[in-house]
Amino acid sequence: MQYQRIHPKGPEFSRIIAGVWNWADETINERCIAAALDCGITTFDHADIYGGYTIEELFGRILKQHPGLRNKMQLVTKCGIKLKVDNKPEHRIKHYDTTYEHIIQSVETSLKNLGTDRIDLLLIHRPDPLLNPQEVAKAFEDLYEKGKVLHFGVSNFTSTQFEMLQSFLPMPLVTNQLEVSLFKSDYLFNGVSDVMMKHHVGIMAWSPLGNGKYFDDLEKMQTLGVLADKYKVSTAKLLFAWLLAHPANLFPITGTTKTERIQEAAAALDVKLGQQDWFAMLKIIKGFDVA
Amino acid sequence: MQYQRIHPKGPEFSRIIAGVWNWADETINERCIAAALDCGITTFDHADIYGGYTIEELFGRILKQHPGLRNKMQLVTKCGIKLKVDNKPEHRIKHYDTTYEHIIQSVETSLKNLGTDRIDLLLIHRPDPLLNPQEVAKAFEDLYEKGKVLHFGVSNFTSTQFEMLQSFLPMPLVTNQLEVSLFKSDYLFNGVSDVMMKHHVGIMAWSPLGNGKYFDDLEKMQTLGVLADKYKVSTAKLLFAWLLAHPANLFPITGTTKTERIQEAAAALDVKLGQQDWFAMLKIIKGFDVA
Amino acid sequence: MQYQRIHPKGPEFSRIIAGVWNWADETINERCIAAALDCGITTFDHADIYGGYTIEELFGRILKQHPGLRNKMQLVTKCGIKLKVDNKPEHRIKHYDTTYEHIIQSVETSLKNLGTDRIDLLLIHRPDPLLNPQEVAKAFEDLYEKGKVLHFGVSNFTSTQFEMLQSFLPMPLVTNQLEVSLFKSDYLFNGVSDVMMKHHVGIMAWSPLGNGKYFDDLEKMQTLGVLADKYKVSTAKLLFAWLLAHPANLFPITGTTKTERIQEAAAALDVKLGQQDWFAMLKIIKGFDVA
């Protein structure tokens, strides 16, 4: 495994991150945490809302059972979305909430559910059109001063949303978590990755293998498979390697509950993808020369 | 009424602004000026071209008849468009003109027509592809030094046009006047409002109720009406409240000639729209959850 | 001819630039170099790949035959594209390459082919998704320190790509070479020219007359012709004048091999296009009022 700072003043993360959004019971959490740590993945990506507000608590049970575990890992979580779910009858509509009160309250709940005294990295989950940057700044400052959150970032933000919020904060936003894969590479071409690179901000890449639907295009997958064979690796490893070869400092998040998939993701760091093959993969998916 | 600076170094405006584009005779001007001031609206939004270059002069007649009036109000006007109209035969085509000569000449004409010695805020009406930022800077500086214009801004500018012009000016652009309403909220989502917030620039919102055509969608208007009933206000007030709740520091411009509509706009400041209802209104118009 | 710096710290270029991409044999190069210099065009725009990696060497033969010539001109060249051509069997796919090694090697080859000890301006030919700004910075610094390249720029870059790369460089990027013409004026309206103006970066305009296909729209060309008649010039001159009238400091690149076309381009500087005619030309092509 490779460990590196996601930003010059940000936390040191494992280059492959375990995403827990789908770790739906205690057994899965116990097994997956162990599998991740075994292959050097030390960073775990949460959100308050995952599993309908249930995953943080399931994950936290394991931490409580194994007191030494917390210090071997970095915890990322998010706030700012309010889901319309049965256990939140006060939410009449799915909406965003980035008020001071909600950010503070959400972090307090995350800390309690996770059974920890600190979040390594807190993200605003999605850009809120009602986001008041001064309120967010105050919430971040208070959480930082009390040691409850060590670093801050955002998720699914455009460049202008990122730079606007940053301009009101005393600390750097250290990441922008975005959907990036060979199949959905928009952010690498629409200016967002440029702006993140300008700010030395690493990108946490969610859905790094695309979603299952892409695997239905048998012809393209077969052509990718031929290239994977050349490297003597699985197509999934090749897809991780494609992200890792990009200069924008991408940290792919595996979203799996399968032990062998976690191991596969971690092992992708050994694949050194050639420059021409990087363009060849893009051409396979886009259907035309990118150069 | 609420009064606030549109920019930290900008003028203090009434939060609701009276737009005079349609005040087509002297009687309307006399009645509407009185109605606006009566309910605390002290800021009036002009342009040289309104009414085919006629409104400033009609408005000015009232100021001349009531010498105390000028000091009770803030006057905004604009320059930079040349209309193809009968009384301007030298305009062979509708075009923009942001040359030094035209800006100076346009302001002199506005001062004379309005019967005042100063414009509180001058805007470049639309982005001119031939805009030479050094020329505009010289015109602004000369107008400022002579006390003829106290503050400067733009209208209908993109983010890059705004930042380009700003980079050549010694004084801050204090506003970007844009079309913003619940029905046309593009600028709140395409990055322009982010960039304005980053620069602490308040937005003057024209056509804040959309235009009449939206009111023809009876189903959507009815759904909005149900929400308005909950607040015990008119739909128009609710639409103003939607803008006022946004963190981008929006100053809605009423474009009406009706006394009761002016009063309604001013009273919208009393409506405190809830966060979930803000999202609910957006969902009604867009047809899908925005969060 | 008019000579001006393309950037405050950049080289002084002739306002009309000779593009050599199509100068396919030694005779053409000899004739066209003489024709260009005769009418004051002193700047020549190359790329390593022009003519399938052949033009620099053909041009260089003339420089070797006439030792005094090099000091009378400014040479621009480019690197960063790898073509799939017969004489480069190691290129399995057309792709970009902006690694340190390739930039250095490409410049060394250009210097040798051109028979000169220095490039006045080196451009990254197209934005490379794998561009590592630190590597490019190191290559630029090394080339600058050895006196092999005097100035640096880019070509076909978006605003964010430009600003990202610039943020890693100790020297200014002095140009962004872009396709700009009356027929393809996107960059003058989509924010790129704004950002270049903000950075005081002049734009080298390639394909300034559009390409031949536009001339097939007989109705539009006829309407342009009427305007050209008014100025007593050819339509081509009028098209150059349209670019020269824009405030973004455009340097049109002629791409011709015809002596009289080179002379025509140079003479376009004498045409002073009126403001209203500038808008009229845009309206002819776009089909609607731009103001």
Side-chain angles (χ1 to χ4, degrees), chain C residues 77-270:
Chain C
T77 195
K78 316 188 189 78
C79 66
I81 300 178
K82 284 185 167 172
L83 295 181
K84 195 169 177 304
V85 287
D86 287 346
N87 55 348
K88 301 276 182 184
E90 69 277 23
H91 300 176
R92 289 178 286 113
I93 182 175
K94 188 183 175 194
H95 65 287
Y96 298 128
D97 190 342
T98 53
T99 55
Y100 178 85
E101 291 71 23
H102 179 64
I103 293 172
I104 299 292
Q105 182 193 358
S106 186
V107 168
E108 294 292 355
T109 307
S110 291
L111 289 171
K112 188 176 147 232
N113 284 337
L114 289 165
T116 182
D117 59 344
R118 68 195 186 279
I119 305 292
D120 292 283
L121 173 57
L122 176 74
L123 310 181
I124 301 292
H125 205 150
R126 286 197 171 268
D128 173 9
L130 290 181
L131 184 146
N132 181 322
Q134 275 126 342
E135 274 199 47
V136 174
K138 189 168 181 315
F140 282 8
E141 286 182 87
D142 286 359
L143 289 167
Y144 181 77
E145 279 175 22
K146 290 184 178 144
K148 293 181 177 179
V149 177
L150 307 187
H151 300 280
F152 300 87
V154 294
S155 182
N156 305 298
F157 269 47
T158 65
S159 307
T160 54
Q161 289 160 345
F162 184 97
E163 293 195 325
M164 187 276 279
L165 178 55
Q166 180 62 77
S167 74
F168 285 87
L169 299 178
M171 72 284 283
L173 294 169
V174 302
T175 194
N176 188 4
Q177 184 174 128
L178 300 168
E179 183 180 3
V180 188
S181 69
L182 174 63
F183 306 101
K184 190 150 178 10
S185 58
D186 312 38
Y187 288 119
L188 304 183
F189 292 95
N190 68 6
V192 175
S193 68
D194 300 326
V195 174
M196 295 308 117
M197 287 171 79
K198 193 176 73 178
H199 291 288
H200 307 274
V201 164
I203 293 169
M204 294 172 74
W206 61 269
S207 213
L209 305 180
N211 64 42
K213 77 176 179 211
Y214 300 112
F215 290 74
D216 294 343
D217 187 329
L218 292 184
E219 198 184 323
K220 289 181 177 178
M221 290 313 292
Q222 205 166 6
T223 319
L224 282 181
V226 172
L227 201 58
D229 287 347
K230 188 181 109 175
Y231 283 89
K232 298 192 174 62
V233 298
S234 66
T235 299
K237 267 195 194 173
L238 202 67
L239 291 169
F240 278 109
W242 191 85
L243 292 173
L244 294 166
H246 191 280
N249 200 18
L250 297 161
F251 288 68
I253 304 170
T254 67
T256 186
T257 58
K258 294 188 182 134
T259 303
E260 64 274 19
R261 292 284 188 196
I262 294 174
Q263 293 162 341
E264 185 180 41
L269 281 158
D270 301 328

Side-chain angles (χ1 to χ4, degrees), chain A residues 81-82 90-99 128-134 158 160-161 163-164 167-168, chain B residues 188-191 193-195 197-198 200 230 245-247 275-280 282-283 289-291:
Chain A
I81 299 178
K82 284 185 165 172
E90 69 277 22
H91 300 175
R92 291 179 286 112
I93 181 175
K94 187 183 175 195
H95 65 287
Y96 298 127
D97 189 343
T98 52
T99 55
D128 173 10
L130 290 181
L131 184 146
N132 181 323
Q134 273 126 343
T158 64
T160 55
Q161 290 161 343
E163 294 195 324
M164 187 277 279
S167 74
F168 286 87
Chain B
L188 305 182
F189 292 95
N190 68 5
S193 68
D194 300 326
V195 174
M197 287 172 79
K198 193 176 71 178
H200 307 274
K230 188 181 110 176
H246 192 280
Q275 183 188 42
Q276 297 197 49
D277 288 327
W278 195 91
F279 282 93
L282 198 55
K283 183 178 181 175
D289 270 317
V290 168

